[in-house]
Amino acid sequence: MAEFTRVRDGVDRRDFLALAGASALALGTPAWASSAARYPAIRKAAEAGREAAIKRIQDWIAHPSIAAENLNMKEGAEYMANLAREAGFDSATLMPTDGHPGVFATMDNGAKRTLALYFMYDVKQFDPAEWSSPPLEGRIVDKPGFGRAIVGRGAVNQKGPEATVLAALHAFRAAKVKLPVNLVLVAEGEEEIGSPNFHQVVQSPNVLAALKKAEGIFIPASWQDMNGHVAVNLGSKGVVELELIASGEKWGRGPKGDIHSSMKAMVDSPAWRLVQALNTLVTPDGNTAAIDGWFENVRPLTPREKELIAEIARSGDEATQKKLLGVTRWIDDLPYAQALERLASQPTVNIEGLVSGYTGPGGKTILPGRAVAKLDLRLVPNQTRKEVVEKLRAYLDKKGFNDVELKVTGGYDPTETAEDSRIIRAELATYKRAGVKATLNPRLAGSWPGAVFTAPPVSLPAGHFGLGHGSGAHAPDEYYVVESTNPKVAGIVDAVMGYVDMFYQIAEVK
């Protein structure tokens, strides 16, 4: 079991940082440490601000905003806006929506170019019983192979990486160095429920006008693997989150509420009704959507995308990926390269959860009057959220399931960004200068609301960028490495300097 050390009071934190500095010297100097020569004043400020940067993450973790539970949403937006102001943004404004508010902030540095940043201040739900330390405590623990990490809900998704960007801005201010780019920050509090209202923030006149001046936008990331490698994503799948609901009331058969299970001999079951509807959506193995017209707009992989995937397969570690996922084989026992092609190219219909009747200990012998399936649909170019929802509804109706309700809770279209766009070239140049191997990835299988930026009327190239490592998003014991004992992986100060260099690369790249 890892030794737990809280970094909260001054003594513990200073001891921790002193030990961390000693371990870094013992490990030798990684390539990105050359940032000290390029930006000596900023590097010195980042090192001096390391303690504050760690505490900033811990304090933010202690203030969760959970959109799915309507928990601390206005407070979370105000907290986000205050963090932006403290980091040097000229203004930070709460942006009302039909749901939870967003935040809009700008920083005019008199630069020729502008860079946009996407943040989220909401986090996923959590069950403290599933965690090895309290999920809002931000405890520092050992992570073998990586170093010391903050554990807490939102540590890597996204408060750790976002707070590291803010730490970079604090370092500029402390060093009295003006940023080489102007900044636009847009943040939302509904990412974890599918960003249903974020477009209202982005398309408001003042935000849209500011974004139109930007070279591109990125979401902070910390995806270095144990070897220090990263992926540069040229797009992401879209997603639709929804519920399918079968009920005796809507069906006109079965009970309107729960009844004794002995009545199943003469009463229809809404739960079985839902199971039958779900079975029609996919092929018998559950792996391919069977919805009419599902694939008609799907764009096949281009030769260049296949080439990039083949390189990922050659350089990747299939055994380690399977181990991390807890699987022993891919769909249809596909070879690794073909499995990766499927991952990038195939839209999916996935069951997130099934809820009906009694699920506690023991039995309760009821016939439920209602059953709910939570689904997510992952989309690829050229599918759209609107299209797939309409096709799903039409298909259910065609199959005779008019009574099964379809409730969309969030989602957005897929994204694509050109390989030769300025933001992608700046990312690659920053990683190269840091000595980090970066592999181009045609499409992230996960999703983020980047489509609100890449699609009209904004039409910005968008991506993910950042040094460092974290994992466990949406899961118990989510973590973010703040002090690396792995010479190939950046700790928080080196991750800060990665963002510093990215700002300069955006300003300089042709």
Side-chain angles (χ1 to χ4, degrees):
M1 188 177 204
E3 177 188 358
F4 296 142
T5 303
R6 287 192 66 188
V7 180
R8 283 291 187 188
D9 62 83
V11 176
D12 283 350
R13 194 180 300 114
R14 282 192 293 270
D15 289 347
F16 163 67
L17 294 172
L19 288 169
S23 65
L25 290 173
L27 286 165
T29 304
W32 52 69
S34 61
S35 63
R38 288 195 299 274
Y39 318 112
I42 302 173
R43 176 82 193 197
K44 183 178 179 180
E47 290 172 347
R50 177 169 55 183
E51 181 178 353
I54 291 171
K55 187 174 186 298
R56 190 176 296 115
I57 298 171
Q58 292 174 310
D59 289 347
W60 200 1
I61 287 171
H63 291 81
S65 297
I66 302 176
E69 299 175 353
N70 196 23
L71 177 68
N72 297 331
M73 297 310 298
K74 187 173 186 296
E75 295 86 348
E78 290 171 343
Y79 198 100
M80 174 73 259
N82 191 55
L83 286 173
R85 295 185 197 106
E86 290 177 348
F89 281 90
D90 305 319
S91 63
T93 307
L94 266 62
M95 303 292 293
T97 72
D98 290 343
H100 302 303
V103 176
F104 168 56
T106 57
M107 184 189 294
D108 184 355
N109 297 303
K112 292 182 179 179
R113 290 179 179 170
T114 297
L115 174 67
L117 303 170
Y118 166 80
F119 279 20
M120 52 184 275
Y121 66 84
D122 65 320
V123 298
K124 273 293 186 187
Q125 310 92 306
F126 57 86
D127 179 356
E130 298 176 343
W131 290 63
S132 62
S133 63
L136 301 183
E137 182 181 309
R139 185 177 293 182
I140 301 287
V141 308
D142 288 320
K143 285 292 176 184
F146 291 105
R148 307 281 282 165
I150 295 175
V151 172
R153 176 52 82 226
V156 70
N157 185 27
Q158 277 287 123
K159 291 179 177 179
E162 290 170 354
T164 304
V165 174
L166 297 177
L169 302 182
H170 279 276
F172 272 99
R173 295 186 78 189
K176 295 182 170 54
V177 177
K178 185 174 288 189
L179 266 77
V181 290
N182 308 311
L183 295 179
V184 176
L185 171 68
V186 280
E188 68 164 317
E190 297 182 330
E191 199 281 340
E192 298 293 12
I193 58 170
S195 304
N197 300 295
F198 186 47
H199 64 282
Q200 295 174 9
V201 174
V202 172
Q203 295 177 18
S204 62
N206 55 338
V207 178
L208 182 58
L211 287 172
K212 282 286 192 180
K213 299 175 183 177
E215 299 293 333
I217 187 165
F218 74 81
I219 176 174
S222 52
W223 293 342
Q224 282 189 283
D225 63 20
M226 194 168 287
N227 294 314
H229 301 166
V230 296
V232 173
N233 300 305
L234 299 178
S236 299
K237 285 186 175 180
V239 69
V240 180
E241 293 191 82
L242 60 89
E243 294 179 348
L244 294 183
I245 306 165
S247 66
E249 184 175 7
K250 290 286 184 180
W251 189 16
R253 307 183 67 88
K256 292 183 178 180
D258 296 352
I259 62 175
H260 197 280
S261 65
S262 64
M263 301 306 296
K264 181 64 197 78
M266 60 187 295
V267 177
D268 291 302
S269 167
W272 281 114
R273 177 72 170 169
L274 180 62
V275 169
Q276 290 163 354
L278 293 171
N279 276 338
T280 70
L281 302 182
V282 292
T283 53
D285 60 8
N287 292 334
T288 304
I291 301 164
D292 287 348
W294 189 252
F295 291 93
E296 67 181 353
N297 292 326
V298 169
R299 177 177 64 71
L301 292 174
T302 66
R304 175 59 174 161
E305 288 172 332
K306 290 183 177 182
E307 178 185 340
L308 293 175
I309 292 171
E311 174 56 30
I312 293 171
R314 282 192 296 270
S315 61
D317 188 338
E318 180 181 13
T320 297
Q321 187 174 6
K322 283 181 174 178
K323 182 178 179 181
L324 290 172
L325 293 171
V327 302
T328 58
R329 55 185 65 189
W330 307 121
I331 279 176
D332 298 330
D333 293 319
L334 291 173
Y336 191 39
Q338 291 181 36
L340 289 175
E341 284 192 5
R342 201 177 194 284
L343 182 67
S345 65
Q346 294 299 295
T348 58
V349 177
N350 176 61
I351 298 175
E352 294 180 359
L354 293 168
V355 183
S356 182
Y358 178 71
T359 59
K364 198 177 178 183
T365 60
I366 60 168
L367 193 167
R370 189 173 186 269
V372 179
K374 291 182 178 289
L375 273 62
D376 64 62
L377 318 175
R378 299 282 171 173
L379 317 181
V380 300
N382 293 315
Q383 292 180 299
T384 67
R385 165 183 160 162
K386 182 176 184 293
E387 168 207 350
V388 299
V389 171
E390 290 176 350
K391 286 178 176 176
L392 175 57
R393 180 71 269 172
Y395 184 75
L396 287 169
D397 293 347
K398 175 184 173 181
K399 291 292 184 178
F401 294 102
N402 312 63
D403 57 283
V404 174
E405 298 175 75
L406 192 164
K407 179 182 178 183
V408 176
T409 55
Y412 33 80
D413 296 345
T415 70
E416 289 190 281
T417 291
E419 186 177 340
D420 63 355
S421 62
R422 188 165 279 154
I423 194 163
I424 297 299
R425 288 187 287 118
E427 287 184 34
L428 291 171
T430 305
Y431 287 133
K432 182 178 181 180
R433 192 144 75 174
V436 171
K437 181 180 179 181
T439 304
L440 284 171
N441 179 29
R443 189 165 304 112
L444 180 69
S447 305
W448 72 294
V452 299
F453 304 116
T454 59
V458 185
S459 303
L460 278 183
H464 306 75
F465 173 80
L467 295 171
H469 172 80
S471 190
H474 299 187
D477 291 345
E478 177 182 354
Y479 69 90
Y480 179 67
V481 172
V482 290
E483 198 59 52
S484 176
T485 56
N486 182 334
K488 297 178 181 179
V489 176
I492 191 168
V493 172
D494 290 314
V496 164
M497 297 309 298
Y499 291 119
V500 169
D501 199 30
M502 178 64 174
F503 296 149
Y504 279 101
Q505 293 287 3
I506 284 287
E508 297 166 4
V509 70
K510 300 299 183 183

